[in-house]
Amino acid sequence: MLTTALAALSLPLATTATATPAATPIAESATGTYLVTLADEPLVTYDGGVGDLPATKPAEGGKLDVASAAAKRYRAHLTDQQARVAKKVGATVRQHYAVTTNTFSARLNARQLVRLAHTGSVVHIAPDRFHHATDDRNSTDFLKLSGRNGLWKALGGTAEAGKGVVIGDIDTGI
Protein backbone atom coordinates (compact mmCIF):
# COMPACT_ATOMS: atom_id res chain seq x y z
CA MET A 1 0.00 0.00 0.00
CA LEU A 2 1.31 3.44 -0.90
CA THR A 3 1.83 6.03 1.80
CA THR A 4 3.02 9.59 1.58
CA ALA A 5 4.57 12.39 3.58
CA LEU A 6 1.80 14.70 2.46
CA ALA A 7 -0.30 15.98 5.31
CA ALA A 8 -2.94 16.87 2.73
CA LEU A 9 -2.77 17.39 -1.00
CA SER A 10 -4.27 20.86 -0.66
CA LEU A 11 -1.60 22.08 1.76
CA PRO A 12 1.81 23.47 0.82
CA LEU A 13 4.81 21.19 1.10
CA ALA A 14 7.41 23.11 3.11
CA THR A 15 10.23 20.86 1.97
CA THR A 16 10.59 17.14 1.92
CA ALA A 17 12.86 17.47 4.94
CA THR A 18 10.27 19.35 7.01
CA ALA A 19 7.08 17.74 5.76
CA THR A 20 5.17 15.98 8.49
CA PRO A 21 4.63 12.27 7.85
CA ALA A 22 0.93 11.55 7.73
CA ALA A 23 1.02 7.81 7.05
CA THR A 24 -2.19 8.37 5.12
CA PRO A 25 -2.72 5.86 2.35
CA ILE A 26 -3.34 7.30 -1.08
CA ALA A 27 -5.99 5.21 -2.73
CA GLU A 28 -6.12 4.55 -6.42
CA SER A 29 -9.04 7.01 -6.39
CA ALA A 30 -6.35 9.68 -5.99
CA THR A 31 -5.84 9.47 -9.75
CA GLY A 32 -6.88 12.74 -11.32
CA THR A 33 -5.67 16.09 -12.59
CA TYR A 34 -3.47 18.04 -10.18
CA LEU A 35 -1.80 21.44 -10.03
CA VAL A 36 1.87 21.13 -9.09
CA THR A 37 3.64 24.31 -7.98
CA LEU A 38 7.42 24.53 -8.12
CA ALA A 39 9.77 26.65 -6.01
CA ASP A 40 11.24 28.98 -8.64
CA GLU A 41 9.61 32.41 -8.90
CA PRO A 42 7.07 33.11 -11.67
CA LEU A 43 7.62 35.88 -14.25
CA VAL A 44 5.94 38.60 -12.21
CA THR A 45 8.25 38.19 -9.17
CA TYR A 46 11.49 36.86 -10.71
CA ASP A 47 14.26 39.32 -9.89
CA GLY A 48 17.16 37.42 -11.42
CA GLY A 49 19.66 34.94 -10.08
CA VAL A 50 19.04 31.89 -12.27
CA GLY A 51 22.05 31.46 -14.53
CA ASP A 52 22.27 34.22 -17.10
CA LEU A 53 18.50 34.82 -17.18
CA PRO A 54 17.72 38.52 -16.58
CA ALA A 55 15.03 39.62 -14.13
CA THR A 56 11.44 39.87 -15.37
CA LYS A 57 9.90 41.48 -12.28
CA PRO A 58 8.55 44.91 -13.22
CA ALA A 59 9.80 48.04 -11.46
CA GLU A 60 7.64 49.48 -8.68
CA GLY A 61 4.40 50.65 -10.30
CA GLY A 62 5.40 49.15 -13.66
CA LYS A 63 3.76 46.45 -15.73
CA LEU A 64 5.11 43.03 -16.57
CA ASP A 65 6.05 42.76 -20.24
CA VAL A 66 5.30 39.12 -21.03
CA ALA A 67 6.38 39.66 -24.64
CA SER A 68 9.90 40.84 -23.77
CA ALA A 69 12.89 38.70 -24.69
CA ALA A 70 13.74 38.26 -21.00
CA ALA A 71 10.19 37.09 -20.20
CA LYS A 72 10.18 34.65 -23.11
CA ARG A 73 13.53 33.18 -22.06
CA TYR A 74 12.54 32.84 -18.41
CA ARG A 75 9.13 31.38 -19.33
CA ALA A 76 10.93 28.79 -21.48
CA HIS A 77 13.17 27.98 -18.49
CA LEU A 78 10.12 27.48 -16.23
CA THR A 79 8.20 25.34 -18.71
CA ASP A 80 11.29 23.20 -19.34
CA GLN A 81 11.71 22.78 -15.57
CA GLN A 82 8.02 21.83 -15.22
CA ALA A 83 8.31 19.28 -18.03
CA ARG A 84 11.44 17.74 -16.43
CA VAL A 85 9.74 17.38 -13.04
CA ALA A 86 6.67 15.78 -14.63
CA LYS A 87 8.82 13.46 -16.74
CA LYS A 88 10.71 12.24 -13.62
CA VAL A 89 7.45 10.68 -12.40
CA GLY A 90 6.25 9.56 -15.82
CA ALA A 91 3.62 12.29 -16.22
CA THR A 92 2.86 14.60 -19.12
CA VAL A 93 2.18 18.29 -18.54
CA ARG A 94 -1.31 19.28 -19.65
CA GLN A 95 -0.96 23.01 -19.04
CA HIS A 96 1.93 25.31 -18.08
CA TYR A 97 1.47 28.40 -15.89
CA ALA A 98 4.37 30.84 -15.54
CA VAL A 99 3.17 34.45 -15.26
CA THR A 100 1.81 34.64 -11.70
CA THR A 101 2.66 31.13 -10.51
CA ASN A 102 5.23 28.49 -11.45
CA THR A 103 2.72 25.68 -11.78
CA PHE A 104 1.76 22.92 -14.17
CA SER A 105 -1.24 20.65 -14.40
CA ALA A 106 -0.96 16.95 -15.10
CA ARG A 107 -2.99 13.78 -14.75
CA LEU A 108 -1.34 11.88 -11.89
CA ASN A 109 -1.87 8.57 -10.13
CA ALA A 110 -1.15 7.74 -6.50
CA ARG A 111 2.43 6.57 -7.13
CA GLN A 112 3.25 9.75 -9.06
CA LEU A 113 1.78 11.90 -6.29
CA VAL A 114 4.00 10.23 -3.71
CA ARG A 115 7.09 10.69 -5.86
CA LEU A 116 6.28 14.35 -6.53
CA ALA A 117 5.73 14.97 -2.82
CA HIS A 118 9.33 13.93 -2.26
CA THR A 119 10.73 16.14 -5.01
CA GLY A 120 12.64 19.09 -3.52
CA SER A 121 11.48 21.63 -6.11
CA VAL A 122 7.76 20.87 -5.52
CA VAL A 123 6.22 23.21 -2.95
CA HIS A 124 2.49 22.51 -3.41
CA ILE A 125 0.19 19.91 -4.93
CA ALA A 126 -3.56 20.41 -5.17
CA PRO A 127 -6.36 18.69 -7.05
CA ASP A 128 -7.43 20.69 -10.11
CA ARG A 129 -11.15 21.07 -9.57
CA PHE A 130 -13.80 23.19 -11.17
CA HIS A 131 -16.00 24.80 -8.54
CA HIS A 132 -19.53 25.90 -9.33
CA ALA A 133 -21.10 28.71 -7.37
CA THR A 134 -24.01 27.28 -5.42
CA ASP A 135 -25.31 30.53 -3.95
CA ASP A 136 -28.44 31.54 -5.82
CA ARG A 137 -28.98 34.77 -3.89
CA ASN A 138 -29.13 38.01 -5.81
CA SER A 139 -25.71 39.64 -5.38
CA THR A 140 -27.24 43.10 -4.87
CA ASP A 141 -29.28 41.73 -1.97
CA PHE A 142 -26.32 39.85 -0.54
CA LEU A 143 -24.15 42.97 -0.66
CA LYS A 144 -26.97 44.99 0.92
CA LEU A 145 -27.07 47.38 -2.03
CA SER A 146 -30.79 47.10 -2.78
CA GLY A 147 -33.87 47.21 -0.59
CA ARG A 148 -35.35 49.74 1.82
CA ASN A 149 -32.21 49.89 3.98
CA GLY A 150 -29.72 49.28 1.17
CA LEU A 151 -26.81 51.49 0.18
CA TRP A 152 -28.43 52.53 -3.09
CA LYS A 153 -31.47 53.93 -1.22
CA ALA A 154 -29.16 55.90 1.06
CA LEU A 155 -27.31 57.36 -1.94
CA GLY A 156 -30.34 58.52 -3.91
CA GLY A 157 -31.88 55.33 -5.27
CA THR A 158 -31.10 53.02 -8.16
CA ALA A 159 -31.29 55.86 -10.69
CA GLU A 160 -28.10 57.30 -9.17
CA ALA A 161 -26.55 54.01 -8.09
CA GLY A 162 -23.04 53.63 -9.45
CA LYS A 163 -23.03 56.95 -11.25
CA GLY A 164 -19.42 57.99 -11.87
CA VAL A 165 -18.00 54.68 -10.63
CA VAL A 166 -15.61 52.64 -12.75
CA ILE A 167 -15.25 48.95 -11.90
CA GLY A 168 -12.40 46.74 -13.10
CA ASP A 169 -12.69 42.98 -13.07
CA ILE A 170 -9.54 40.86 -13.25
CA ASP A 171 -10.74 37.40 -14.18
CA THR A 172 -8.04 34.75 -13.96
CA GLY A 173 -10.42 32.03 -15.04
CA ILE A 174 -10.40 30.40 -11.62
Side-chain angles (χ1 to χ4, degrees):
M1 180 177 286
L2 295 172
T3 59
T4 182
L6 289 173
L9 288 176
S10 61
L11 296 176
L13 305 170
T15 65
T16 54
T18 60
T20 307
T24 305
I26 296 180
E28 287 303 315
S29 63
T31 297
T33 303
Y34 289 85
L35 298 170
V36 180
T37 302
L38 304 181
D40 282 357
E41 294 292 325
L43 288 168
V44 75
T45 57
Y46 174 65
D47 57 3
V50 175
D52 63 346
L53 296 172
T56 56
K57 180 180 178 179
E60 182 79 26
K63 290 184 177 183
L64 174 65
D65 181 3
V66 295
S68 71
K72 288 177 182 177
R73 283 185 62 211
Y74 188 63
R75 181 191 300 253
H77 163 75
L78 292 179
T79 56
D80 288 347
Q81 176 193 51
Q82 293 168 6
R84 281 192 309 275
V85 168
K87 187 177 180 179
K88 281 182 185 178
V89 299
T92 302
V93 174
R94 289 181 148 197
Q95 183 72 42
H96 294 278
Y97 305 96
V99 176
T100 60
T101 182
N102 179 12
T103 300
F104 68 89
S105 68
R107 184 144 180 86
L108 303 168
N109 62 36
R111 187 172 306 280
Q112 292 166 320
L113 287 168
V114 170
R115 289 181 62 202
L116 279 173
H118 290 91
T119 302
S121 60
V122 174
V123 295
H124 193 263
I125 302 171
D128 186 5
R129 296 190 181 126
F130 189 77
H131 296 278
H132 294 278
T134 57
D135 188 342
D136 63 352
R137 291 184 286 181
N138 183 326
S139 62
T140 58
D141 293 340
F142 176 76
L143 296 172
K144 303 204 182 321
L145 298 174
S146 59
R148 197 170 38 119
N149 297 319
L151 180 63
W152 289 345
K153 178 76 171 173
L155 297 176
T158 56
E160 297 295 315
K163 196 171 202 174
V165 175
V166 176
I167 297 175
D169 179 20
I170 300 172
D171 184 353
T172 63
I174 296 176

